[in-house]
Amino acid sequence: YLHGLDDTLKKLQALPKEISGKRGGPVLAALKKGAKVIQRQAIANLEANADKADGYANTGTLAKSVAIGRDPKPEKSGANERVRVFVRRKTYPDGTKTIATARYLEFGTEKQKAKPWLQPAYMSERQKALETVVSELNKGIDKIIKKLSKGR
């Protein structure tokens, strides 16, 4: 059970529909800040793994490819708004794709042992990310309520 979300959900339900419209409003902003917590840890995990790489040079390309993005179709997962931490499609000078490298590191291959970086980032930072989302969402909602009450 997630604590601290009940009051936030009540506030959200009381707000006009326009607030989380096309631009996402305070919901999108809060989700992005929460995702940033996980993104930072994922990058730190990648850099820690790179230091232990088996004869490979760390170019930093994969770490720079870790991004945060708004899901264009959040309703597919039953959400109104969704933000993801993902790997952007970039290509190394040798032609290898960052997505392939990220997958090989996370899950391993027949010849390469897995060196997970994204799952541990999520597991270690999920509570902090949730607290960030709740805090930022409450701030954003309060700001909008204040703005709307001035207009009346």
Side-chain angles (χ1 to χ4, degrees):
Y1 184 72
L2 305 174
H3 298 285
L5 223 46
D6 291 337
D7 292 339
T8 304
L9 290 173
K10 285 177 189 170
K11 283 182 184 178
L12 271 175
Q13 290 166 346
L15 290 174
K17 296 278 184 216
E18 302 84 36
I19 289 171
S20 62
K22 281 187 176 183
R23 299 173 108 204
V27 176
L28 180 60
L31 288 172
K32 281 184 174 182
K33 287 188 179 180
K36 190 83 176 156
V37 171
I38 294 169
Q39 179 195 33
R40 278 191 214 110
Q41 185 60 49
I43 291 169
N45 291 352
L46 273 173
E47 289 169 350
N49 275 346
D51 293 341
K52 301 176 209 164
D54 308 318
Y56 293 100
N58 178 16
T59 62
T61 303
L62 184 56
K64 290 176 195 161
S65 299
V66 178
I68 295 169
R70 184 180 191 188
D71 188 342
K73 296 184 179 173
E75 60 281 350
K76 282 188 174 182
S77 64
N80 291 329
E81 194 66 68
R82 191 171 106 165
V83 174
R84 304 175 298 142
V85 176
F86 66 99
V87 176
R88 275 204 180 94
R89 295 177 193 270
K90 290 188 179 180
T91 306
Y92 292 100
D94 69 356
T96 308
K97 305 286 183 202
T98 52
I99 292 175
T101 303
R103 191 176 303 124
Y104 298 153
L105 281 172
E106 187 74 20
F107 303 110
T109 65
E110 287 179 6
K111 298 177 183 178
Q112 178 181 321
K113 187 178 160 214
K115 294 179 183 174
W117 56 277
L118 188 54
Q119 179 73 13
Y122 169 75
M123 296 306 283
S124 70
E125 299 298 313
R126 66 184 176 201
Q127 190 61 41
K128 185 177 176 187
L130 178 62
E131 290 165 4
T132 301
V133 169
V134 170
S135 168
E136 292 298 321
L137 193 50
N138 281 326
K139 285 181 200 172
I141 291 169
D142 290 342
K143 188 176 174 182
I144 288 171
I145 290 172
K146 192 174 180 181
K147 184 178 175 183
L148 289 174
S149 65
K150 281 183 181 179
R152 289 183 181 172

